[in-house]
Structures are given as structure tokens and as C-alpha cells.
Amino acid sequence: MLVGRNCLGSKITSILLCLMSAAAAAVSGNLTYEKDPVTNIITITGHVADPEGAMAIPATIHDPISGLDHPVKFIAGSSFVTCKNLTSVTIASGVESIGNFAFSDCSNLTNVTIPASVTTIGRSAFSFCTSLPSVSLPFGVATIGNAAFGTCTALASVTIPSSLTTLGTGVFGNCTSLLTVTIPSSLTSIPTSTFNGCSGLTSVTLPSTISSIGTYAFQYCGSLTSVTIPPSVTILREKVFANCRGLTSVEIPAAVTSIHPSAFDECSSLSSFTVAAANTVYSAVSGLLTDKAGTLLITCPAGMSGSFNIPSGITGIGPQAFRYCGEIISVGIPGTVTSLGTQAFSGCVKLVLASFMGNAPTMGSNVFELTASGFSINFLNSSTGFTSPTWMGYPATGTGEGADPLTSWLVSKGLPANSNLMLDANGDGVNLLMAYALDLNPNVSNSLPAAVFGSEQMSLSFYAGTAGITYVVKASSDLLNWSTEGVTLSAPDLNQIRTATVAKSGTQRFMRLEVSH
């Protein structure tokens, strides 16, 4: 022991230096190791030359001085990091711990045998082992450190034992080939970014013991089509399922009391939410996530597309409620809505029109930022609070109560008053003019009336009561020459349905319905 003292004026500092015995470093074959001088336990620390092909971590190391075999218990951190020619590792029984970065970036490693004696796998222990196709973790493993298998891009399957109690953050992050994972009931939480970037993950089973799912846990799991949120989960955190573009529906369990606005950002196939009836905070209205009363719209599923009408009865649209609903073209806002939250429609890049059916609501900031070029607002002239030609900085146009029925119909469906009537916004084969004529909702998928075939005739029934529309049914035998000759058209019934009939003639006969405004 050495004691040094340095005096300067009235200030005195002391330095205490201790000289202690250190573990001895040694070599066995191609492995370097250290032996604890007290316990004789061996820690593998590295290698003499970069290992090639298959390598074994032995159960014991022979001490040439004492002539005894001593047990190998630990593989030290970074022992074999970036060993590019290593293809296989077999770890003998008795080894208890694999250190941080121990085999990180062994890019040609294709096989790892881990014994049941291992209880701890350290941080990034196998990260960037991009050729490793599978890992079987034996019963006994209790702790897996942060990013232990991060960016193992060939990893398609992994067995997680029920002995596991501690899972680090990002353990399987960016494992793009990982298809399915079963989480053991020994875990109570899914940490931050556990499966972030697992773009091939199609399903995951979360046990009922899970009460916490961390931020970004399943972000960018683009192939994940369904997920069952355990009943004990209370919070859905920031971007927990964001960018899961294959996710089609989500059920919110009864215990959830907090959902971050970005939890389901850019889930472009998500078409509906359902909420457990016993949930005291949330409800679902027409697939929309709302407060329990069903009056505050909290989140619109990002898979909504085309022209969309907010259900009547909604009184408020929450902050970021429609954020990144990138396929919505127009939105109809009912007269019951009195407030729009900050960034409510931010990032709706195809949104060209918002049609208000009532008085001007209160507005948060940046409500319609990052919408389509040429975005505009429609409102009823009888409403209060709006201004024209601009309102709240956006182009705005009033629609008169005395407008022609077609214009009023377009606005009521959340569509621009000057819409192209030949437009088929949702791709169902029914353009706007035909939808108007047949009393169909252009915001949902429709089917055109189908012909009915009898032994001697065929008939076509259709709605024919729309104001301003002329209906004509024609027949043809060659699809080139069309005429009303031979077509019998019934009078409208009580529901304004008419039926056109044509007798069979020759080898073939065709009918078509023409509408004009």
C-alpha cells in the first residue's frame, strides 16, 4: 500500500493506491482465459488467432501448473466479437454467463448450442450475427440483455424458455426474418423496442401475465396481421404498434385506461377498433376509437380511405385523431362537432376537402397541416362562424341551402361540390353520378343492379327516384348497336323501384342502364 499526500496552501488531498493480486491470464489451445485466484473459476476472455469454422467452449480448462482441471463458468464481454470466419459455437454444460458483445458481428455464424447451465445472456451478445437462422434458449436462461439478438436478420425462429424473467430492450430488434414468437408466462412486461423492425413477424402470442408493453415494442412489424392485447395491460404507449401496415383490426381490452395518440400511427390496413364492453374509458363507434360516452373521437383507424363521414353524435375530434390517415380524400364533419383538436388531420396527404354540416367549431393549431395541395373547406351558408374566401387560413366556400339536389348530395357525403361525377373514388366500379342516381353511398363499396334471367326474358330492377336524373334502359344483340326498342319499363313502385324487361331474341341479348343529369 502506498499513501501519497500533496499540500498546497491550506488544502490537502490524499491519494490512496492499493496493490492487489489480479487474476492470472493464460492460453489453452486457441482460447485465452483468466482463472480466479481464489475460486479457480475460469473466464474465457478471447482467442489467440481468429477462430474458423466450428468452435467449442470447453467445460473445463487444464491448469498445467497445478495439474488440475478448473471449471469454465463465464464467457467475457467481446471475447469473439467480429470473428467473421466463425460458423458454429458449442458451449459446454457448466458455463453460466455469456458476456456483453461476446459473439457480436460474427456474420457467418450459423449455429449456436447453449447449455441449460446458462442463466444470463448479455447485452448485444449475438447482435449482427446475420447468418444465424435459429436459436434455442434452454430452460434455465433467466436474463437476456439489451439487443442480445438485435439485427440477426436471418433469425426465423427462437425458443424462449419459461425460466426467463428479465428481457432487455430491443432484444429482437430488426430481426427481419423472424416469423413467429411465443412469449412465456414467466414474463410480465415487453420492454421498449423488443420487436421493433421485425418486418416478417406474422403473429405473436402474449400471455395473460403481460401487464406492460413498452414504447416502440412492435413498431415496423409490417407483416403482423393481428395481435391480442393481454387483459392486464393498462397503457398503450408511444408508437407501440406504429407502422404495422398489415394490422387490420385491434380489440382494446377492458383494463386499458391510456392510449397514446401515436400508438397506431400509419397502420395503413387498420380498418376498425373494437373495445371491450367493460372498459370504463373507451368505446368504439363505427370502428372509430372514442371516449366511453362515444362523443369524443380519439383515433380514426389509418386504413380508412376515400370519402369519410364522421358519425353524427360526435361532438369533438381529439388531437391527432386522423394523423397519417393517408388515404382519406374528403371528410364530412357533422353539425354536432364543436371542437377540432391540434393536428387532428395532420399528415392526411390526400385530403382535399373538409365539409362542415354545422356551425364553425373551435380549432386547435395546425389542424389541417400536411394535407393535399389544393385542400379546401366547404360549409353551409346558413352556418355561423365561417368566412369566405378563406377561413382559419384555408380556402373556404359556402354552399347555399337552395343549391341543386346533386350539389347538396355531394356536400352531404363529404365530397366537393364541384366533384368530377365520373370519379370512382373507392374503386368499386360505381362512379359518383351512378351512385347518386341509384341512391347509393359513395363512401362504401357498392354493387350495381344485376340482371335476372328467366326462360324467355331477362329483367333489371333499379332505384329510379332521384331528382334531376333521367333513366334509360337499352338493349343490344351485338354490344355495338343499342336501342330502347323491345324494352318494357314498369312504373315506379312505392320505393321508387322500376323494372326493365326484354325478351330473348336470337343467340344473345344484352341490357344496359344509362343515367344522365
Side-chain angles (χ1 to χ4, degrees), residues 152-399:
C152 289
T153 52
L155 189 64
S157 65
V158 60
T159 301
I160 302 177
S162 58
S163 56
L164 187 69
T165 57
T166 303
L167 193 65
T169 62
V171 167
F172 300 104
N174 296 314
C175 291
T176 53
S177 297
L178 193 61
L179 300 179
T180 182
V181 174
T182 299
I183 305 296
S185 59
S186 54
L187 282 178
T188 59
S189 67
I190 303 297
T192 297
S193 298
T194 298
F195 298 101
N196 192 326
C198 292
S199 56
L201 190 65
T202 58
S203 67
V204 61
T205 301
L206 300 178
S208 59
T209 54
I210 298 295
S211 59
S212 174
I213 304 176
T215 57
Y216 316 107
F218 294 94
Q219 187 179 21
Y220 292 109
C221 292
S223 299
L224 192 64
T225 57
S226 65
V227 62
T228 300
I229 300 171
S232 53
V233 169
T234 59
I235 300 173
L236 294 179
R237 293 178 169 84
E238 182 181 1
K239 293 187 179 292
V240 60
F241 294 104
N243 305 93
C244 291
R245 298 185 182 277
L247 198 61
T248 57
S249 63
V250 172
E251 180 171 355
I252 308 299
V256 170
T257 58
S258 176
I259 300 175
H260 193 278
S262 69
F264 298 96
D265 268 3
E266 300 189 73
C267 292
S268 55
S269 297
L270 185 61
S271 59
S272 67
F273 290 102
T274 57
V275 178
N279 192 294
T280 60
V281 177
Y282 298 104
S283 290
V285 175
S286 300
L288 306 171
L289 183 67
T290 70
D291 64 350
K292 184 63 179 177
T295 57
L296 175 64
L297 198 164
I298 296 171
T299 301
C300 174
M304 291 292 190
S305 61
S307 298
F308 179 73
N309 284 333
I310 295 170
S312 180
I314 297 293
T315 60
I317 299 175
Q320 303 177 359
F322 286 81
R323 189 171 71 159
Y324 301 126
C325 290
E327 296 300 319
I328 290 180
I329 296 173
S330 64
V331 61
I333 301 174
T336 52
V337 170
T338 59
S339 65
L340 296 181
T342 296
Q343 295 183 319
F345 294 90
S346 175
C348 294
V349 295
K350 293 184 179 180
L351 185 64
V352 296
L353 176 74
S355 294
F356 290 84
M357 299 296 105
N359 297 331
T362 60
M363 297 272 282
S365 60
N366 302 315
V367 169
F368 295 105
E369 71 172 353
L370 303 178
T371 49
S373 175
F375 171 80
S376 64
I377 285 171
N378 239 165
F379 61 90
L380 299 176
N381 282 335
S382 59
S383 300
T384 61
F386 292 99
T387 57
S388 185
T390 63
W391 176 69
M392 304 297 289
Y394 302 103
T397 303
T399 300

Side-chain angles (χ1 to χ4, degrees), residues 97-99 114 118-123 125-126 137 141 143-145 148-149:
S97 175
I98 302 172
I114 300 173
V118 169
T119 60
T120 301
I121 297 174
R123 175 167 54 96
F126 295 94
L137 302 175
V141 173
T143 301
I144 302 178
F149 296 94

Side-chain angles (χ1 to χ4, degrees), residues 86-89 106-114 126-137 149-159 172 174-181 201:
L86 185 61
T87 60
S88 176
V89 173
C106 293
S107 56
N108 287 303
L109 186 64
T110 59
N111 182 65
V112 174
T113 301
I114 300 173
F126 295 94
S127 62
F128 293 94
C129 290
T130 52
S131 297
L132 189 64
S134 65
V135 171
S136 180
L137 302 175
F149 296 94
T151 318
C152 289
T153 52
L155 189 64
S157 65
V158 60
T159 301
F172 300 104
N174 296 314
C175 291
T176 53
S177 297
L178 193 61
L179 300 179
T180 182
V181 174
L201 190 65

